[in-house]
């Protein structure tokens, strides 16, 4: 199907704005209660929903909670099954590391271990980013013949490592057990192809432990999500779009880069994304705008804080409408109900506003209202197709 | 799935009536307005909808507006992706030209060109059909060694040409630029396979220009939609149906012929389709009835005229019910909102009425009401499966 749609796409200057509140979908805390979105006072979103087409979307499949990368890939129209993205790649792309095909990246946690070699804190006391930067400098001394090793800070206790060399592969298992009180695992090949990389990773850990020995609480490293760069066709090639991302968090910038978006740097917060949008508005026609904290508060299990984050986004809607996007989609990449403190598989509400729509006339923007929308439940990957169609970028199929 | 369904189909005499209002789906002109169908006074259709199962259907995919041929193929249960039909074939089949495998057909417009060879009118002043018939006679003098050339009138300024001979292919580009003030293009091969046919087409144009030289305003021809006959299994073979079409417009008769329907000729208007149906009722069990002008008025952007066409159809519903069809589906092949003056990708409302249904009890027949129906949004190709099932033509699957 993809190729049929792609063959029908034409270029024009009409603007598509995709506003993603991370983990937007929620749950009521009690059977007769309201979800976070239903609880939030969202006059702007409610007004939008009334004149929009609405529905719910499923990023992966019924019953499957998506990670952030596949959730976003689906929103950008890429079937996550066809484009598996390892955590290491997301981390590396997120900080703008120029990965090349054949490179293998892994997420690195600085951690604390005791004299017996058991991990006592998987986050090294949540050291600040400045400390992380210094520790990455220390690890520059790691020297593995035939392999170029790059260690880069991400945020707080999180870093990433990229191995570059001949014959590397991401068929290597995590060293992070996700537990404390036990030693980390050795990196092991998960297939014949991963043997060399597992040895490289083991050598890296050995040298790192020596270098970090006296740097308590960051005297250990944990590796996970070994990953190679997947080949993903860019949104420019695939949709003839000029796409740009305004996002604060590195991981979302990483996914955006993977699909060929121009990524605006140094945005400290949601407010800063608005002038950034204004600045790039003329030269692009697809804008991905991301708000992280709806997800964070959901993961914290803080229902009211998630409600407050949604209300924060509602307040900026008028500023976004002032840009006069031809198509505007408001949605999430998955559900993160405060009740579950985790990503969940529940369908995600969306609204799509454009000149030529058949408004569902819903009472407001919420999970149950969107469930009454004419679109019902659609695969997430279909949303971009609607956005392209409603911005007049898709030709008629057949005579 | 197709082959599973087909293996379960049995023959019986129960009648299925598929009433298609072309381009039925619409849009409100303002966000709080009603669509054409919602605006139309349709007491008969509303009464049907109340006791029917309802929903919306998507002929090709989310965001893709279908042409007429693929829209109808989908209604007949054929996935349009698997059966691409070029415009030339639709035209040739529409006028009952007996195309054979290997033939290549193209749409022909009579047009006007100036002394410099630029096209000044792509429709030759919309000459009447009688004139078109005479011009086709003139073009019988075209003589291309080794190729049998048939030129046939379609309607007004529109004709079609069929080339028959060895080694022909439809890999040839249009000569029609769809613009005036420029000369037509040469027909070019779009692959190695199309080389011979492109030369044949070029020779055809050269001879045609000489023959038409003094016949202003029809002193030029434009060719588009080079197409070979696709192999499409007939509805008889596939569904064990005895299908018939009552349609006024040639293109729809063409598509009906492609799927093996008996096509009733010389029907001047909607009213004439009723006695025609009566006449063939006994000997068939699938009836495709087509009304064109809902689409035409939508393409004209004439909201009220489209409303009036829908109301015209509503008035004949009692006559159709008098035939006592066992299953009746009322729908469109795509949306043609007056607001957009074009085919659009918006889902198309449908109702299916039969003895054994679970009525949705909707307030009337309209896009938003159908959106509330239990079927939600279904691929268009599924409708025929429901029609077969509700007329007791599908055996149980498995023990």
């Amino acid at each position: 199907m993809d190729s049929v749609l792609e063959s029908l796409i034409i270029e024009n200057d009409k603007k598509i704005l995709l506003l993603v509140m991370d983990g937007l979908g929620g749950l009521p805390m009690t059977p007769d209660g309201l979800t976070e979105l239903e609880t939030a006072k969202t006059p702007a979103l409610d007004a939008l929903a009334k004149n929009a087409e609405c529905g719910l979307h499923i990023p992966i499949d019924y019953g499957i909670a998506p990670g952030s990368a596949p959730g976003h890939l689906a929103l950008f129209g890429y079937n996550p099954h066809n484009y598996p993205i390892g955590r290491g790649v997301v981390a590396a792309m997120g900080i703008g590391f120029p990965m090349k095909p054949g490179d293998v990246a892994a997420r690195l946690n600085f951690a604390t271990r005791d004299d017996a070699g058991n991990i006592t804190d998987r986050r090294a006391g949540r050291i600040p980013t400045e400390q992380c930067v210094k520790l990455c400098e220390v690890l520059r001394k790691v020297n593995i013949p035939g392999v170029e090793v790059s260690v880069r800070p991400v945020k707080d206790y999180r870093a990433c490592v990229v191995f570059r060399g001949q014959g590397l592969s991401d068929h290597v298992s995590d060293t992070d057990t996700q537990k404390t009180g036990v030693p980390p695992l050795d990196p092991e090949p998960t297939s014949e192809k991963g043997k060399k990389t597992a040895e490289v990773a083991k050598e890296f850990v050995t040298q790192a432990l020596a270098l970090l020995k006296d740097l308590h609480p960051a005297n250990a490293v944990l590796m996970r999500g070994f990953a190679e760069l997947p080949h993903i066709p860019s949104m420019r090639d695939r949709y003839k779009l000029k796409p740009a991302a305004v996002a604060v968090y590195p991981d979302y910038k990483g996914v955006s880069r993977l699909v060929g978006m121009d990524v605006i740097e140094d945005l400290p917060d949601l407010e800063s994304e608005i002038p950034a949008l204004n600045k790039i508005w003329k030269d692009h026609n697809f804008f991905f705008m991301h708000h992280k904290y709806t997800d964070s508060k959901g993961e914290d299990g803080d229902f009211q804080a998630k409600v407050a984050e949604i209300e924060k986004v509602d307040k900026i809607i008028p500023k976004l409408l002032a840009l006069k996007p031809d198509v505007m989609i408001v949605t999430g990449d998955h559900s993160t109900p405060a009740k579950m403190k985790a990503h969940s598989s529940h369908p995600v509400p969306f609204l799509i506003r454009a000149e030529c729509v058949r408004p569902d006339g819903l009472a407001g923007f919420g999970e149950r209202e969107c469930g009454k929308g004419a679109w019902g439940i659609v695969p997430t990957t279909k949303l971009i197709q609607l956005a392209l169609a409603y911005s007049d970028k898709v030709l008629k199929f057949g005579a």
Side-chain angles (χ1 to χ4, degrees), chain A:
Chain A
M1 184 52 230
D2 284 357
S3 63
V4 172
L5 177 79
E6 283 167 55
S7 71
L8 299 173
I9 292 175
I10 54 164
E11 237 178 307
N12 69 25
D13 198 42
K14 294 199 175 175
K15 315 287 191 189
I16 300 168
L17 175 58
L18 170 65
L19 170 59
V20 176
M21 285 179 261
D22 208 291
L24 176 64
L27 287 177
M29 300 298 280
T30 56
D32 58 351
L34 299 175
T35 68
E36 296 90 325
L37 176 58
E38 291 165 351
T39 302
K41 287 196 177 44
T42 54
L45 288 167
D46 293 345
L48 267 183
K50 188 175 183 316
N51 291 323
E53 295 180 359
C54 297
L56 297 163
H57 66 85
I58 292 191
I60 313 294
D61 197 355
Y62 292 77
I64 298 184
S68 291
H72 277 85
L73 273 191
L75 283 171
F76 304 149
Y78 297 78
N79 188 329
H81 299 292
N82 302 338
Y83 305 99
I85 302 185
R87 188 178 287 270
V89 168
V90 172
M93 298 295 293
I95 54 166
F97 185 89
M99 275 187 82
K100 289 185 183 166
D103 290 357
V104 173
R107 266 277 301 270
L108 203 68
N109 273 17
F110 287 103
T112 312
R113 64 172 195 156
D114 62 19
D115 293 342
N118 293 325
I119 296 297
T120 56
D121 184 343
R122 290 180 54 251
R123 299 180 180 90
R126 293 189 184 263
I127 48 167
T129 305
E130 305 85 72
Q131 182 94 19
C132 183
V133 172
K134 284 179 197 157
L135 292 164
C136 290
E137 282 296 314
V138 170
L139 293 186
R140 288 183 71 166
K141 296 203 188 85
V142 171
N143 181 5
I144 303 175
V147 177
E148 195 178 321
V149 179
S150 308
V151 184
R152 295 281 187 281
V154 175
K155 205 170 197 276
D156 307 334
Y157 57 91
R158 289 180 285 125
C160 79
V161 56
V162 180
F163 300 130
R164 179 169 293 168
Q166 291 298 313
L168 299 181
S169 150
D170 57 8
H171 292 205
V172 178
S173 63
D174 295 354
T175 73
D176 187 357
T177 63
Q178 312 248 358
K179 285 178 205 147
T180 53
V182 293
L185 301 168
D186 273 342
E188 301 284 355
T190 57
S191 86
E192 195 62 28
K193 282 173 77 182
K195 272 180 106 169
K196 177 176 173 181
T197 316
E199 281 163 27
V200 167
K202 199 167 169 182
E203 178 61 24
F204 173 78
V205 171
T206 305
Q207 294 190 27
L209 289 181
L211 291 164
L212 300 172
K213 174 158 61 70
D214 301 325
L215 300 177
H216 188 280
N219 62 354
V221 290
L222 298 172
M223 300 177 83
R224 56 178 169 145
F226 287 84
E228 291 173 65
L229 197 65
H231 174 71
I232 304 186
S234 79
M235 292 181 81
R236 278 175 201 266
D237 289 343
R238 196 170 154 129
Y239 307 129
K240 300 195 178 83
L241 288 172
K242 284 172 269 180
V246 290
V248 173
Y249 257 60
D251 282 7
Y252 307 93
K253 296 196 273 188
V255 179
S256 303
R257 266 194 204 94
L258 273 178
V259 296
M261 290 193 205
D262 293 335
V263 173
I264 311 309
E265 291 296 351
D266 302 322
L267 298 173
D269 53 27
L270 184 63
E271 276 300 319
S272 70
E273 291 181 9
I274 313 263
L277 271 181
N278 262 295
K279 208 162 159 184
I280 59 174
W281 194 254
K282 200 167 152 287
D283 298 326
H284 296 81
N285 59 3
F286 180 91
F287 306 87
F288 159 53
M289 182 174 186
H290 183 261
H291 185 59
K292 171 67 180 169
Y293 299 104
T294 30
D295 177 62
S296 316
K297 301 305 178 188
E299 293 220 330
D300 292 346
D302 191 339
F303 189 98
Q304 280 308 331
K306 186 174 169 190
V307 167
E309 289 300 325
I310 295 168
E311 292 178 347
K312 238 182 249 177
V313 173
D314 190 74
K315 290 207 173 62
I316 63 157
I317 296 292
K319 294 180 189 172
L320 297 178
L321 291 176
L323 290 164
K324 298 192 194 304
D326 296 285
V327 172
M328 182 166 171
I329 294 179
V330 184
T331 189
D333 55 337
H334 53 73
S335 295
T336 308
K339 181 170 181 160
M340 295 175 71
K341 299 187 184 179
H343 293 199
S344 83
S345 68
H346 300 88
V348 189
F350 73 88
L351 66 80
I352 179 163
R353 172 195 167 279
E355 173 65 23
C356 288
V357 292
R358 223 179 249 161
D360 285 312
L362 299 180
F365 189 48
E367 288 86 347
R368 263 81 63 99
E369 278 301 303
C370 284
K372 296 178 195 162
W375 284 114
I377 295 183
V378 302
T380 304
T381 51
K382 300 295 182 194
L383 294 186
I384 189 106
Q385 299 185 204
L386 297 183
L388 290 166
Y390 291 180
S391 59
D392 299 328
K393 292 183 175 68
V394 188
L395 295 173
K396 190 165 67 172
F397 176 84

